[in-house]
Amino acid sequence: MRDAFPRLEVGEADFVVLCDALKVSEGVREKAWKTYESLSAADGAVACSKKKKETWGVCIFIVAVDLDEVTFTFTELLKSINISVCTFFQFLKEVDVNMDTVSTKVDSTVSRLKKKYDVLFALYHKFERTCGLIYLEQPSSEVSAELSSVLVLKNYWITFLLAKGKVLQVEDDLVISFQLLLCVLDYFIKLSPPAMLKEPYKSSVSAVTVNGSARTPRRGQNRSSRTAKQLDTDTKIIEILCKEHDCNLDEVKNVYFTSFIPFFNSAGIVASNGLPEVEVILKQYDELYLKNKDIDARLFLNHDETLQPDVIACSQLERTPLKNNPDEEINIILPQTPVRAAMNNIQQLIMILNSATDKPSDTLIVYFNNCTVNPKDSILKRVESFDHIFQKKFAEAVGQGWAEIGSQRYKLGVRLYYRVMESMLKSEEERLSVQNFSKLLNDNIFHTSLLACAVEVVMATYGRNASQSDSTSAETDLSFPWILNVFDLKAFDFYKVIESFIRAEPSLTREMIKHLEHCEHRIMESLAWQSGSPLFDLIKQSKEREGQTDQPEPTSALNMPLQHNHTAADLYLSPVKSPKKKASGPPLSATSTPDVQPAVTPQTQKPQKSTSLSLFYKKVYLLAYRRLHTLFLHLLSEHPDLEALIWTLFQHTLQNEYELMRDRHLDQIMMCSMYGICKVKNVDLRFKIIVSAYKELCNTNQETFKRVLIREEQYDSIIVFYNLVFMQKLKTNILQYASSRPPTLSPIPHIPRSPYQFSNSPRRVPAGNNIYISPLKSPYKFSDGFQSPTKMTPRSRILVSIGESFGTSEKFQKINQMLCNSECQLKRSAEVGAAAPKPLKRLRFDIEGQDEADGSKHLPQESKFQQKLAEMTSTRTRMQKQKLNDGNDTSASEEKSLFPPPFLWTCK
């Protein structure tokens, strides 16, 4: 052992002890020690010297994963260095001072562990609270002394962990995991003595006993047939559980029969007195845990410190504005748990689609019949074909027993597909005053994209991130762009439908709009630039257009607002090839090619510009500049003159050297542009500093700078890419920025408000004293229908939700008094100074382009609150009319941002 480490000095023998405890191989020991030495010698490696043992543990983990020689579980590692999961992940990020310390392979392993931990953490706390509502802490004397709430928790949780590990291939699927947890609870609640249970579970179990159903199985009994019969005759427990947690009963039943019961029978678990045999489940879970070498989730039962969340992360929870009076109690309800939020989103989607069908509506049939070529048969065949494909792909990803669950999700997507298609066609009919959409409705790529987008919305709703943080949704095996592979769809084609989809479906939740926007960004930054993408053909054809030598989108349009009236029909029917035939007849109708130019006779018709390419480049430029501006503020705020130079080089590359984007990422070009300009301008900015700042930005991936394509099938770091590829291609252009005649600067893009964006925080009513309105994050608690808001919104002294019964009149009196007091204060301040602010008499929103609400008059006897309520209602109505009358204007797509339904009044 010591011969392998001849350089070990006094005190460093602890490293050997740690390696022995983790049973690591000689190769791992040697490389881990070298990694530690390189980290200690690196600049800014203060953390390594202060946390020597933790650093050793991180180095051993990195090397063991890279060499595929992991001889320890992740929990054993955490225990050995006395560190929590969250702290380990954060420390791993800190020690990666150089880009080559942590490989993409390690990043992938860490990402999987993070996602699994997030799901387990959310599920355990939901499980713990749920059991507290089901079981008595101190059962009556009728219950055997062997049973207790602690024992119940332990046995049920370990049984669930075993089922989850055996049944699920995708262990980070929060919704399916929770449905499986409900199956475990349902099974064992029915076997529990009624004296242990609280209502309404006690009455339900007692009713089963009275009806003669066996609660205690015998060892030799056929558990599968017994349980199936029991569930058929009594579904009260599962109905109660599903109603309490807003779960779909049919889905949970499906999980019960197709996955839980087969698992239970194959595992050989015998239950008596409401509990499985501890030895059996412990042995099987231990085998599973040692095989996976990850997190020992049994430790959640002991609230083990290694599984406790990061305190700092937990402190980043949403809060409403604090009260001005320090003597008043600050009473805040924290946001929903991940499980509750996921269930609410799913129920909202299901309720929206309850009125829809999985067949074309009568309205759609009319549109189909109006087509020159009726598309009905091809549409139905396409939907049926993708049903089989989707089930197969879903089962491959999640597990063969889950094909039916996949089919259920696909059918929801089909309902949404027909619903959005109908909405799109109605909008097109209003826009073009035609009813024949034969070319669009017979376009295979359009239908495939629309169906894929609808199914993606369903998958994302079910696949909500289990992390408490709402900043970035963690990816799972079913996350976008998985749907593109299922539908064999190019990312660029999928992008065309996203904006029209959001406009056509007003009921999309804030989370889903953000998700689709994120998908759009993913496509623009990398997916659309993959080899085989139709984007490259469009760019090439654009440059080959007769008499055209300019770029796909002229730079002169950069500083113009992104306003367009193009729809999905325009983008999918946009010319792909430059027409070269002479015009020989009347021009095509708008239904055939929406962006066609008037016929030019008798001369050759002017080549058409691709609408989809032009709009794509506009959006890419906006995204590129936003990213650059954010990174620039982090690094070069003291050199403001450099931003325009960096942007010019960045934009020039996208415009003229677009092949550099093939199979690469937008941010790679951005970082290289920043480094190149700083280098030629003698500004000291190393790539290491750029990458460190980049890692702190939202929605970034370390693979972006660690694994960059150099040449075919050869990848290396971004520094190597800059030296061997980027600099070689753009050297002449970069050197021009050091000359006395630098290139003409590209205009800075006009940055509009995102058409998909919602406001995150409550807005203050200027005329009120600490009166705020805010959109409900998740509009309703669906078990109660559309009548009552959820309790996820912050509680304060007065809480009124527009659209529900307001309760007592005292609320209004106090609100009126507060409003009157604030106006009196404004008047008094006006007497003191002539330049005092004018009292605001209308509800005002701090939103671009929306200064005041409708200025309609009110009767003097109306209360202040009633006036503001009327003003808000009037404004909302006006905006809805504007959307109908002016559907082509960009502001229509921003309506969700201006007035997301419904609003919550919060008075402090």
Side-chain angles (χ1 to χ4, degrees):
M1 177 69 63
R2 307 232 172 223
D3 293 338
F5 297 96
R7 297 175 58 191
L8 288 180
E9 300 173 359
V10 178
E12 294 175 341
D14 289 341
F15 176 78
V16 178
V17 173
L18 179 61
C19 289
D20 289 342
L22 297 175
K23 302 176 183 178
V24 299
S25 66
E26 294 294 328
V28 172
R29 293 170 189 254
E30 183 177 356
K31 190 170 182 180
W33 181 254
K34 290 181 179 178
T35 302
Y36 169 70
E37 287 183 323
S38 64
L39 286 177
S40 301
D43 294 338
V46 181
C48 298
S49 59
K50 289 185 177 179
K51 300 179 180 179
K52 183 175 288 188
K53 191 172 183 179
E54 291 90 334
T55 308
W56 287 341
V58 166
C59 292
I60 292 172
F61 174 80
I62 291 172
V63 173
V65 171
D66 275 332
L67 298 180
D68 286 324
E69 295 184 22
V70 180
T71 56
F72 48 86
T73 69
F74 186 56
T75 295
E76 287 173 345
L77 174 65
L78 297 178
K79 289 285 188 182
S80 298
I81 59 178
N82 193 28
I83 195 173
S84 70
V85 174
C86 297
T87 306
F88 179 88
F89 292 148
Q90 182 60 35
F91 190 64
L92 179 64
K93 186 177 179 181
E94 291 174 2
V95 300
D96 189 19
V97 290
N98 295 314
M99 291 180 293
D100 56 351
T101 304
V102 179
S103 67
T104 55
K105 185 177 181 180
V106 175
D107 284 335
S108 177
T109 302
V110 170
S111 176
R112 182 183 63 82
L113 287 169
K114 281 181 179 179
K115 290 183 286 188
K116 185 166 186 177
Y117 169 76
D118 285 339
V119 170
L120 288 170
F121 181 82
L123 289 172
Y124 179 75
H125 285 273
K126 189 70 174 178
F127 167 76
E128 198 173 39
R129 286 191 296 270
T130 301
C131 286
L133 299 174
I134 297 172
Y135 290 95
L136 296 168
E137 292 186 11
Q138 295 180 338
S140 63
S141 57
E142 303 174 26
V143 181
S144 170
E146 299 176 358
L147 297 177
S148 67
S149 58
V150 175
L151 194 59
V152 166
L153 277 173
K154 178 180 179 180
N155 282 265
Y156 294 5
W157 177 246
I158 297 176
T159 302
F160 162 69
L161 293 177
L162 185 59
K164 181 175 178 290
K166 293 277 190 179
V167 172
L168 277 178
Q169 290 176 206
V170 182
E171 291 195 73
D172 52 10
D173 192 303
L174 178 65
V175 174
I176 291 181
S177 297
F178 182 65
Q179 290 173 339
L180 189 61
L181 178 59
L182 293 185
C183 293
V184 174
L185 291 173
D186 171 72
Y187 185 89
F188 289 113
I189 287 172
K190 292 175 181 176
L191 301 178
S192 300
M196 287 187 64
L197 303 171
K198 296 179 181 179
E199 294 294 351
Y201 303 97
K202 180 177 181 180
S203 300
S204 300
V205 170
S206 299
V208 174
T209 306
V210 171
N211 292 333
S213 297
R215 284 190 297 102
T216 306
R218 301 180 182 230
R219 286 183 180 267
Q221 227 172 343
N222 187 321
R223 289 179 299 275
S224 179
S225 60
R226 171 185 56 76
T227 309
K229 181 179 179 182
Q230 181 177 333
L231 189 65
D232 284 340
T233 57
D234 174 47
T235 59
K236 290 183 180 179
I237 300 297
I238 199 68
E239 286 174 359
I240 294 171
L241 288 170
C242 288
K243 182 178 180 181
E244 176 64 28
H245 299 288
D246 293 319
C247 275
N248 185 283
L249 179 60
D250 292 333
E251 288 185 4
V252 178
K253 280 185 179 182
N254 190 288
V255 172
Y256 193 99
F257 283 116
T258 61
S259 299
F260 176 70
I261 292 302
F263 149 76
F264 205 82
N265 292 332
S266 64
I269 299 175
V270 178
S272 61
N273 293 325
L275 294 177
E277 291 186 347
V278 181
E279 295 78 11
V280 176
I281 59 174
L282 277 177
K283 181 181 178 181
Q284 292 193 40
Y285 178 74
D286 212 45
E287 292 173 354
L288 185 68
Y289 159 63
L290 293 175
K291 177 184 176 183
N292 293 334
K293 294 184 173 64
D294 50 20
I295 299 170
D296 188 352
R298 292 171 294 189
L299 298 180
F300 278 110
L301 292 162
N302 306 325
H303 298 280
D304 191 275
E305 60 182 8
T306 60
L307 297 180
Q308 295 310 299
D310 184 18
V311 177
I312 297 177
C314 292
S315 66
Q316 304 300 319
L317 296 171
E318 276 186 86
R319 283 177 168 79
T320 50
L322 299 180
K323 298 175 176 63
N324 285 344
N325 187 351
D327 297 328
E328 284 189 313
E329 177 187 0
I330 299 176
N331 189 7
I332 296 176
I333 289 183
L334 297 180
Q336 288 178 307
T337 63
V339 174
R340 169 62 70 184
M343 294 303 116
N344 274 356
N345 285 340
I346 291 168
Q347 287 302 311
Q348 180 172 354
L349 177 67
I350 291 175
M351 292 187 73
I352 289 171
L353 298 178
N354 273 344
S355 59
T357 65
D358 52 5
K359 299 292 181 184
S361 66
D362 292 340
T363 304
L364 278 177
I365 295 297
V366 172
Y367 280 118
F368 296 165
N369 292 335
N370 287 335
C371 292
T372 306
V373 178
N374 194 314
K376 179 181 176 182
D377 291 341
S378 63
I379 289 174
L380 294 178
K381 287 179 182 178
R382 186 183 297 106
V383 169
E384 182 180 0
S385 174
F386 278 121
D387 187 5
H388 301 301
I389 295 174
F390 185 85
Q391 282 193 58
K392 180 183 177 182
K393 296 289 187 180
F394 188 88
E396 289 174 357
V398 181
Q400 291 303 319
W402 301 88
E404 185 58 32
I405 294 293
S407 179
Q408 289 177 346
R409 295 188 183 182
Y410 178 79
K411 288 176 181 176
L412 286 175
V414 170
R415 290 183 178 185
L416 184 59
Y417 161 68
Y418 286 130
R419 175 185 167 101
V420 173
M421 188 197 306
E422 181 177 324
S423 177
M424 283 184 174
L425 293 177
K426 287 179 178 178
S427 297
E428 286 296 287
E429 182 179 0
E430 292 177 3
R431 183 172 77 104
L432 302 172
S433 301
V434 294
Q435 295 179 333
N436 184 350
F437 299 103
S438 185
K439 189 169 183 179
L440 176 66
L441 293 179
N442 283 283
D443 189 291
N444 178 61
I445 296 179
F446 164 72
H447 282 290
T448 304
S449 302
L450 182 60
L451 179 57
C453 191
V455 176
E456 173 61 25
V457 167
V458 174
M459 294 299 293
T461 301
Y462 276 88
R464 179 183 170 88
N465 182 14
S467 174
Q468 292 285 357
S469 172
D470 189 41
S471 60
T472 306
S473 58
E475 292 184 9
T476 69
D477 291 342
L478 301 177
S479 296
F480 185 82
W482 178 79
I483 200 72
L484 300 182
N485 297 325
V486 174
F487 285 81
D488 192 22
L489 189 63
K490 299 297 184 183
F492 182 74
D493 291 325
F494 182 85
Y495 136 84
K496 298 176 187 177
V497 83
I498 293 176
E499 185 173 341
S500 292
F501 191 100
I502 294 173
R503 289 181 178 182
E505 183 46 75
S507 300
L508 285 179
T509 63
R510 173 180 178 268
E511 288 81 6
M512 283 307 99
I513 292 176
K514 287 178 63 178
H515 173 73
L516 289 178
E517 183 180 23
H518 178 64
C519 293
E520 187 179 61
H521 288 176
R522 287 280 306 277
I523 292 170
M524 292 190 293
E525 69 190 14
S526 62
L527 297 178
W529 301 95
Q530 293 176 346
S531 293
S533 171
L535 174 62
F536 290 101
D537 290 333
L538 283 175
I539 297 176
K540 184 179 180 181
Q541 291 159 13
S542 174
K543 290 184 174 293
E544 291 175 350
R545 286 164 59 221
E546 296 178 11
Q548 298 290 328
T549 57
D550 58 352
Q551 61 278 6
E553 184 60 28
T555 56
S556 58
L558 285 176
N559 55 0
M560 301 295 292
L562 179 60
Q563 294 182 346
H564 67 90
N565 62 350
H566 300 303
T567 64
D570 297 327
L571 302 186
Y572 284 100
L573 301 181
S574 178
V576 176
K577 295 182 179 180
S578 299
K580 298 182 179 180
K581 295 182 180 180
K582 293 184 178 181
S584 59
L588 296 172
S589 67
T591 56
S592 300
T593 307
D595 55 351
V596 74
Q597 301 295 325
V600 180
T601 56
Q603 300 174 349
T604 303
Q605 183 177 347
K606 183 180 179 181
Q608 302 174 43
K609 185 176 181 180
S610 171
T611 302
S612 58
L613 179 62
S614 175
L615 184 59
F616 178 80
Y617 253 88
K618 286 179 181 178
K619 289 190 172 185
V620 167
Y621 285 152
L622 288 176
L623 178 64
Y625 178 72
R626 283 196 185 100
R627 297 274 183 87
L628 172 62
H629 183 66
T630 303
L631 186 62
F632 185 88
L633 292 178
H634 277 74
L635 296 170
L636 296 167
S637 57
E638 296 180 357
H639 302 275
D641 54 312
L642 293 183
E643 183 180 28
L645 301 180
I646 298 170
W647 166 241
T648 301
L649 175 60
F650 191 8
Q651 187 271 329
H652 167 83
T653 307
L654 295 175
Q655 167 189 317
N656 298 297
E657 305 294 344
Y658 58 88
E659 279 292 335
L660 285 177
M661 279 293 297
R662 188 184 292 272
D663 295 322
R664 297 190 180 98
H665 195 287
L666 186 69
D667 293 347
Q668 294 165 355
I669 307 300
M670 172 186 70
M671 287 185 278
C672 287
S673 299
M674 179 173 287
Y675 181 79
I677 293 298
C678 288
K679 194 81 173 174
V680 80
K681 286 295 185 180
N682 297 318
V683 175
D684 184 20
L685 182 65
R686 291 173 291 174
F687 246 124
K688 174 181 172 181
I689 304 300
I690 296 176
V691 166
S692 297
Y694 176 77
K695 288 193 295 185
E696 301 302 319
L697 303 183
C698 295
N699 300 322
T700 58
N701 190 320
Q702 296 197 38
E703 189 168 329
T704 303
F705 54 82
K706 289 183 178 179
R707 190 173 185 271
V708 188
L709 178 67
I710 306 301
R711 54 182 62 91
E712 187 176 356
E713 297 184 0
Q714 180 186 345
Y715 295 84
D716 213 314
S717 70
I718 192 169
I719 298 175
V720 176
F721 167 72
Y722 176 85
N723 290 326
L724 297 184
V725 182
F726 187 87
M727 186 60 182
Q728 301 303 317
K729 193 74 173 177
L730 291 161
K731 183 176 182 180
T732 302
N733 184 272
I734 292 174
L735 292 177
Q736 289 179 8
Y737 292 89
S739 67
S740 57
R741 301 181 63 182
T744 304
L745 297 180
S746 298
I748 298 296
H750 175 82
I751 305 298
R753 180 185 177 89
S754 169
Y756 313 132
Q757 187 175 352
F758 280 98
S759 175
N760 291 322
S761 59
R763 294 193 182 94
R764 182 170 179 172
V765 180
N769 178 20
N770 280 347
I771 298 179
Y772 297 82
I773 61 171
S774 62
L776 296 182
K777 302 291 193 248
S778 181
Y780 306 98
K781 186 175 185 297
F782 289 96
S783 59
D784 300 330
F786 278 111
Q787 297 303 316
S788 66
T790 62
K791 294 182 179 180
M792 70 163 291
T793 49
R795 179 176 297 166
S796 52
R797 291 304 178 189
I798 303 176
L799 196 63
V800 178
S801 177
I802 307 302
E804 71 162 350
S805 177
F806 294 138
T808 61
S809 59
E810 283 78 6
K811 288 184 179 181
F812 295 99
Q813 292 175 358
K814 187 166 184 178
I815 291 174
N816 289 335
Q817 183 180 359
M818 294 169 71
L819 288 170
C820 291
N821 289 342
S822 65
E823 289 194 354
C824 291
Q825 292 173 2
L826 288 171
K827 290 179 180 178
R828 284 196 296 270
S829 63
E831 294 174 358
V832 175
K838 179 182 177 182
L840 299 174
K841 296 185 178 180
R842 300 185 181 92
L843 188 62
R844 182 186 296 272
F845 292 89
D846 295 327
I847 298 179
E848 179 182 348
Q850 182 66 23
D851 292 328
E852 294 186 354
D854 183 61
S856 55
K857 302 297 182 180
H858 300 281
L859 299 176
Q861 63 267 26
E862 286 185 322
S863 69
K864 300 292 182 183
F865 180 78
Q866 289 172 322
Q867 290 179 17
K868 293 188 179 298
L869 177 59
E871 288 169 353
M872 188 175 71
T873 303
S874 174
T875 304
R876 185 175 178 80
T877 302
R878 177 171 56 83
M879 293 298 297
Q880 290 173 340
K881 288 181 179 178
Q882 179 181 344
K883 182 179 180 182
L884 292 175
N885 296 332
D886 191 17
N888 297 337
D889 191 80
T890 305
S891 60
S893 64
E894 297 182 1
E895 184 182 356
K896 292 186 178 69
S897 305
L898 299 176
F899 294 97
F903 280 91
L904 185 75
W905 285 82
T906 308
C907 304
K908 308 288 184 178

